[in-house]
Amino acid sequence: MKLTKDGLGKSINGWLLRQIELLKWKTEPFTEGSDGMRGVMIQGTASDVGKSLICTAFCRILSDQGIQVAPFKSQNMSNNSYVTILGEEIGRAQGVQAEAARTVATVDMNPILLKPESDMKSQIVLFGKKLETMGGMEYRANFYEQGLAAIDQALVNLSKNYTHLVIEGAGSPAEVNLNDREIVNMAVAERADVPVILVADIERGGVFASIVGTLALMPHPERVKGLLINKFRGDIRLFEDGIAFLEAYTKLPVLGVIPYMGNHEIEQEDSLGVREISRDNRNRPIDMAVLKHPYLSNFTDLEPFLNEPDVSVRWVEFVKDIGKPDILVFPGTKSTIADLRYWKEQKIEDTLLSIENKTRIIGLCGGFQMLGDSLSDPDGFDGTKAEFEKGLGLISGMVTHFTKEKFVKRRSGTAKMNEQTFNVDGYEIHTGRSKYGGKALVSFEDGTEGVQTERLIGTHIHGIFGSADSRQAFLAPIRQEKNLSQPMVQECSDRYSRFAGHVKAHIDWAQVERIMEGKG
């Protein structure tokens, strides 16, 4: 993040002022301090059409123009969270977008975060802190007014420090069964009084029906000022008649057709996005199998391995599909005991015994906790009540107990793996408190964290594989065993600018600017 020391201080001071303002919540629509506040809202015809990445690109483009821009998403549903410098949780997409905007991520950028704990209940994180767990009907009935108040307050706070907002919608705005109490799409565009650009994913097929149908069913379609076609593959000339049809039928301009870009290196908030990228790296010599928990979280810990040209990353939903990989990953989870039981019901212990001398194991956060001797959560703070749950026993003596208070903290230290030392810059976010011994993985000024053996590493720290040095240290013995040379990994030093340039080159940015200024 390109931020001066003075800028960081200003952001922290702004946060302190916001804490005072939070004591005076407002229930009227966003108006205070909004003079000169401009922006745009990116809505989509469905989930995973690319809204988050387009918002990221817009944030960087506006930042390049010297504009004080901030991302905003009123309510996010994701177990892939971002920890701010003050130890608060927001949706990871808004943290990434803040980095693209060259500003400090704050809870005002995503005041409401829902973290699913089961099919029926989600943990509510309000302004970065855990509030309570609610079922869907209870949330819809009892949280609506409180949610609107939080959204209005966040918009007021952002208007004091920024001139432009890039607002991200959620899912589809045409969910007619939810629109009377929705707080994520057109209701937000109305409260912030910004125009809307509608994005459709052409790769899925049915792009014409998805656009026309969405416009027909969404409230206030007159606020939509343009269309974007995303993830196009092939010769753009083949779609010229499609553009002409859409513009004639909808009376809206097609602002651009953005070609698919699979190697943008920007973290995906939705695991669907990571799974799509991983399809392109099959048949590589190092086989990494990643367990796809039912309540998977923080899957972006594994995204950096997609940059390794000799590593194949594949998702595994059933034990029978694990096979005999070189690396088996237990990633993070929002409901550790529930997901542990899912794998134990399929007798994963037998598979672990059969591969114990051939496969290296990685345990991350909740996945790390599964590898211990036992877990206990008598009050169900992590989603599933259990007085005692037997772990997988790969880390002898490790016990985990879940508490009401969540541990959230950014972490910086050093780690040594296979005689190679590297820096670690990540964060911890978990309710389980674990006790274990053995050789530590990461060292801090005030202690250590994690554990490592010859064929296993475990840690609560998310982002530990973010650097090429860390991945090289971990992969070195595997490459040696397979007689593979160390490949040259060219990591994009400014992935945000690269992707923003790609987007800007394929859209009518001048028209987007006119739309944001209310002239489109």
Side-chain angles (χ1 to χ4, degrees):
M1 198 161 40
K2 296 181 179 178
L3 194 70
T4 65
K5 184 177 180 180
D6 289 342
L8 180 61
K10 181 179 179 181
S11 294
I12 293 176
N13 288 335
W15 176 84
L16 293 173
L17 291 173
R18 177 182 61 76
Q19 300 307 303
I20 298 173
E21 289 294 329
L22 284 178
L23 299 176
K24 302 180 289 183
W25 268 24
K26 299 170 177 61
T27 56
E28 72 274 11
F30 162 60
T31 54
E32 180 182 335
S34 61
D35 293 342
M37 190 74 164
R38 295 174 293 280
V40 66
M41 186 171 194
I42 305 298
Q43 296 186 17
T45 57
S47 296
D48 197 42
V49 300
K51 296 185 293 291
S52 295
L53 284 174
I54 289 173
C55 287
T56 302
F58 278 25
C59 283
R60 175 47 59 95
I61 294 169
L62 290 167
S63 175
D64 285 343
Q65 296 177 187
I67 291 172
Q68 292 177 297
V69 58
F72 181 75
K73 187 168 185 177
S74 57
Q75 173 187 284
N76 209 336
M77 177 174 281
S78 175
N79 277 329
N80 197 26
S81 58
Y82 182 100
V83 176
T84 70
I85 59 173
L86 298 172
E88 302 160 317
E89 283 187 87
I90 62 174
R92 190 144 197 88
Q94 282 61 64
V96 167
Q97 290 159 9
E99 292 178 2
R102 299 186 176 95
T103 191
V104 173
T106 71
V107 293
D108 293 317
M109 297 172 184
N110 177 216
I112 305 168
L113 175 62
L114 305 181
K115 306 187 74 173
E117 293 185 349
S118 68
D119 292 340
M120 299 296 292
K121 293 185 176 183
S122 291
Q123 179 189 115
I124 302 171
V125 178
L126 182 63
F127 283 111
K129 300 295 183 184
K130 178 181 176 181
L131 181 65
E132 58 182 303
T133 297
M134 286 187 183
M137 293 300 295
E138 180 187 5
Y139 178 81
R140 181 171 166 79
N142 300 332
F143 191 76
Y144 179 69
E145 296 297 336
Q146 188 177 7
L148 289 178
I151 292 165
D152 289 338
Q153 186 61 59
L155 289 169
V156 169
N157 294 336
L158 290 171
S159 73
K160 295 175 181 177
N161 295 300
Y162 301 94
T163 61
H164 287 67
L165 286 183
V166 175
I167 304 177
E168 181 182 342
S172 164
E175 306 291 353
V176 294
N177 58 316
L178 302 176
N179 278 341
D180 62 322
R181 294 176 76 82
E182 69 96 356
I183 56 174
V184 291
N185 285 309
M186 201 55 77
V188 176
E190 292 279 309
R191 299 179 90 81
D193 193 20
V194 295
V196 171
I197 294 175
L198 184 65
V199 180
D201 176 0
I202 195 171
E203 190 176 39
R204 294 178 173 217
V207 69
F208 303 107
S210 64
I211 290 174
V212 172
T214 298
L215 291 170
L217 295 174
M218 70 191 302
H220 304 292
E222 69 280 358
R223 193 172 281 277
V224 180
K225 301 301 181 183
L227 307 173
L228 277 176
I229 309 300
N230 197 24
K231 303 183 187 178
F232 185 85
R233 297 179 191 251
D235 190 333
I236 187 62
R237 291 173 296 181
L238 296 174
F239 194 64
E240 289 176 352
D241 290 345
I243 293 174
F245 168 80
L246 286 171
E247 292 189 331
Y249 193 93
T250 67
K251 304 299 188 291
L252 293 169
V254 175
L255 301 170
V257 180
I258 304 172
Y260 176 82
M261 184 180 182
N263 60 338
H264 49 70
E265 299 181 18
I266 298 174
E267 291 182 5
Q268 304 280 283
E269 182 173 67
D270 195 321
S271 60
L272 291 173
V274 179
R275 187 163 57 206
E276 174 63 26
I277 294 171
S278 66
R279 290 196 314 183
D280 298 331
N281 73 350
R282 297 172 181 171
N283 301 318
R284 297 178 180 180
I286 298 176
D287 179 21
M288 172 182 279
V290 183
L291 298 183
K292 189 174 185 297
H293 307 310
Y295 299 106
L296 176 71
S297 72
N298 297 91
F299 50 84
T300 46
D301 287 335
L302 286 312
E303 270 194 347
F305 282 103
L306 298 173
N307 298 327
E308 300 293 333
D310 55 359
V311 177
S312 172
V313 180
R314 60 184 173 92
W315 292 105
V316 174
E317 297 188 50
F318 304 101
V319 168
K320 64 181 178 61
D321 297 323
I322 291 176
K324 298 185 183 299
D326 299 297
I327 306 163
L328 178 62
V329 183
F330 288 75
T333 164
K334 187 61 192 69
S335 191
T336 307
I337 291 176
D339 281 343
L340 174 60
R341 289 176 177 175
Y342 171 81
W343 297 111
K344 285 165 58 178
E345 286 171 1
Q346 299 180 53
K347 303 189 184 315
I348 194 172
E349 300 98 320
D350 294 340
T351 297
L352 293 175
L353 285 173
S354 70
I355 64 175
E356 63 179 345
N357 295 320
K358 303 172 184 177
T359 297
R360 284 172 170 79
I361 306 290
I362 297 175
L364 301 172
C365 200
F368 172 36
Q369 295 166 354
M370 292 181 188
L371 304 181
D373 285 337
S374 67
L375 305 90
S376 63
D377 189 4
D379 297 303
F381 292 127
D382 197 51
T384 301
K385 290 185 178 182
E387 292 287 344
F388 174 87
E389 185 72 25
K390 184 179 179 181
L392 297 175
L394 298 185
I395 303 176
S396 180
M398 178 175 175
V399 296
T400 299
H401 178 74
F402 293 90
T403 62
K404 182 176 182 180
E405 294 302 318
K406 186 181 296 185
F407 183 83
V408 183
K409 188 176 183 179
R410 295 195 72 91
R411 289 290 212 174
S412 294
T414 60
K416 187 174 183 180
M417 198 184 302
N418 300 313
E419 303 306 316
Q420 298 185 49
T421 302
F422 55 90
N423 293 327
V424 173
D425 186 14
Y427 61 94
E428 290 187 51
I429 178 169
H430 50 90
T431 56
R433 303 298 200 272
S434 300
K435 295 182 179 179
Y436 49 87
K439 183 180 178 181
L441 178 63
V442 185
S443 297
F444 310 111
E445 290 184 358
D446 58 350
T448 61
E449 204 282 329
V451 65
Q452 61 178 311
T453 67
E454 183 180 356
R455 306 191 73 84
L456 179 149
I457 66 167
T459 179
H460 287 105
I461 299 175
H462 298 289
I464 192 167
F465 292 112
S467 70
D469 290 342
S470 63
R471 299 192 300 276
Q472 179 180 339
F474 175 75
L475 293 169
I478 301 176
R479 287 173 172 149
Q480 185 176 7
E481 291 169 6
K482 291 178 170 285
N483 294 316
L484 300 172
S485 59
Q486 172 64 38
M488 293 293 295
V489 178
Q490 297 181 345
E491 294 184 294
C492 180
S493 59
D494 194 348
R495 58 193 186 277
Y496 299 127
S497 289
R498 186 164 68 101
F499 184 71
H502 171 75
V503 170
K504 191 176 182 182
H506 294 94
I507 65 174
D508 185 348
W509 182 251
Q511 178 67 355
V512 172
E513 288 183 305
R514 288 192 290 272
I515 288 172
M516 284 192 291
E517 298 298 324
K519 301 174 183 178

